[in-house]
């Protein structure tokens, strides 16, 4: 038979252990409860990763690079858009940025011009027959100012106003200014026998042309909240063109 021997701790050591149990500030207690260097390193890496994730979440995405405008093909020579090919391309590019996306890449066909078809609104309506697509109306007055309008559908005789919110007015003075639909009313285009009107409000038209396509006018209107397109509210037309986009 083996006998178990019980060892008794010396009183000094026993007293030391008891004081350690009840004193959290004892050096041995602090050392035993401090994290190891490995734990410190792992904790530091986790904190760093969390900070990087937060930075990625808060960092704004880079702004998209604007696409270069698509210069449409001209089926015809323009007397209004510019005297040189470079000036015509520049005017086309600037206008193309404001056209509806659905007509991007469409060719521009010269359906009417006063130098070829005469100064007559009736002739303009006749040249529009058979076309249903949108029309870009550009003109130059006798002061050399270039301005016009974009119509979402072909120009025609009508009992009332027609068109959509894609319609807008514009002017080069000399930089391009575009006046889009405000949403206040739907007075886009109205074709009479003796006048063509675009935009209306408080008895004023954003752009109107007479039956001879010789005189016209432009006033601020609620439809487009536009400025006067010409240098004066009343003007005389030097050249006018209607381009069908198709």
């Amino acid at each position: 038979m083996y006998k178990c021997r019980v060892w008794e701790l010396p009183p000094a050591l026993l007293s030391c252990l008891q004081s350690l149990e009840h004193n959290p500030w004892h050096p041995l207690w602090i050392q035993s409860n401090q994290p190891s260097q490995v734990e410190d390193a792992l904790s530091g890496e986790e904190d760093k990763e969390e900070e990087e994730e937060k930075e990625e979440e808060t960092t704004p995405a880079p702004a998209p690079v604007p696409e270069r405008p698509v210069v449409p093909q001209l089926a015809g020579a323009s007397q209004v858009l510019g005297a040189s090919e470079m000036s015509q391309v520049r005017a086309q590019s600037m206008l193309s940025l404001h056209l509806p996306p659905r007509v991007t890449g469409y060719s521009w066909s010269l359906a009417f011009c006063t130098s070829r078809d005469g100064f007559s609104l009736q002739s303009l309506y006749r040249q529009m027959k058979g076309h249903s697509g949108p029309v870009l109306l550009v003109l130059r007055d006798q002061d050399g100012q270039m301005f016009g309008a974009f119509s979402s559908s072909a120009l025609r005789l009508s009992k009332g106003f027609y068109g959509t919110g894609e319609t807008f007015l514009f002017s080069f003075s000399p930089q391009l200014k575009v006046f889009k639909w405000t949403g206040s009313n739907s007075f886009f285009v109205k074709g009479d026998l003796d006048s063509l009107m675009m935009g209306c409000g408080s008895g004023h038209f954003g752009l109107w042309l007479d039956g001879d396509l010789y005189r016209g006018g432009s006033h601020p209107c609620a439809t487009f909240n536009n400025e006067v397109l010409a240098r004066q509210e009343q003007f005389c037309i030097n050249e006018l063109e209607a381009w069908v986009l198709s």
Side-chain angles (χ1 to χ4, degrees), residues 3 10 19 29 39 46 59 102 106 110 117 122 155 170-171 174 177 200 203-206 218 222 224 233:
K3 294 182 180 180
S19 65
W29 178 276
E39 291 173 345
E46 292 176 356
T59 302
R102 67 183 179 91
Y106 282 18
L110 185 59
D117 304 304
Q122 295 291 328
L155 304 175
F170 65 88
S171 68
K177 291 184 179 180
C200 183
H204 297 291
F205 301 108
S218 176
F224 304 109
E233 292 182 346

Side-chain angles (χ1 to χ4, degrees), residues 162-206:
Y162 63 92
T164 69
E166 294 177 333
T167 307
F168 63 82
L169 304 179
F170 65 88
S171 68
F172 286 89
S173 57
Q175 298 299 320
L176 174 64
K177 291 184 179 180
V178 175
F179 306 98
K180 297 291 185 72
W181 179 44
T182 62
S184 62
N185 61 45
S186 299
F187 302 144
F188 299 114
V189 185
K190 186 176 187 298
D192 291 342
L193 288 172
D194 57 356
S195 63
L196 177 67
M197 296 152 283
M198 305 189 75
C200 183
S202 302
H204 297 291
F205 301 108

Side-chain angles (χ1 to χ4, degrees), residues 46-119:
E46 292 176 356
D47 294 341
K48 186 176 180 180
E49 290 177 357
E50 291 179 358
E51 291 178 358
E52 291 177 352
E53 290 178 357
K54 290 180 180 179
E55 289 179 357
E56 291 178 357
E57 292 176 357
T58 57
T59 302
V65 178
E67 297 182 0
R68 297 182 62 182
V70 178
V71 180
Q73 297 293 326
L74 287 183
S78 175
Q79 303 297 322
V80 178
L81 292 176
S84 65
E85 182 179 356
M86 183 176 296
S87 60
Q88 289 187 17
V89 171
R90 177 176 174 271
Q92 288 178 259
S93 300
M94 296 177 70
L95 285 170
S96 296
L97 291 173
H98 300 279
L99 296 177
R102 67 183 179 91
V103 301
T104 301
Y106 282 18
S107 62
W108 296 12
S109 299
L110 185 59
F112 174 87
C113 66
T114 51
S115 61
R116 182 190 67 193
D117 304 304
F119 286 79

Side-chain angles (χ1 to χ4, degrees), residues 25-37:
W25 297 104
H26 193 283
L28 293 177
W29 178 276
I30 295 174
Q31 183 176 0
S32 64
N33 284 276
Q34 287 181 343
S36 64
Q37 294 181 353

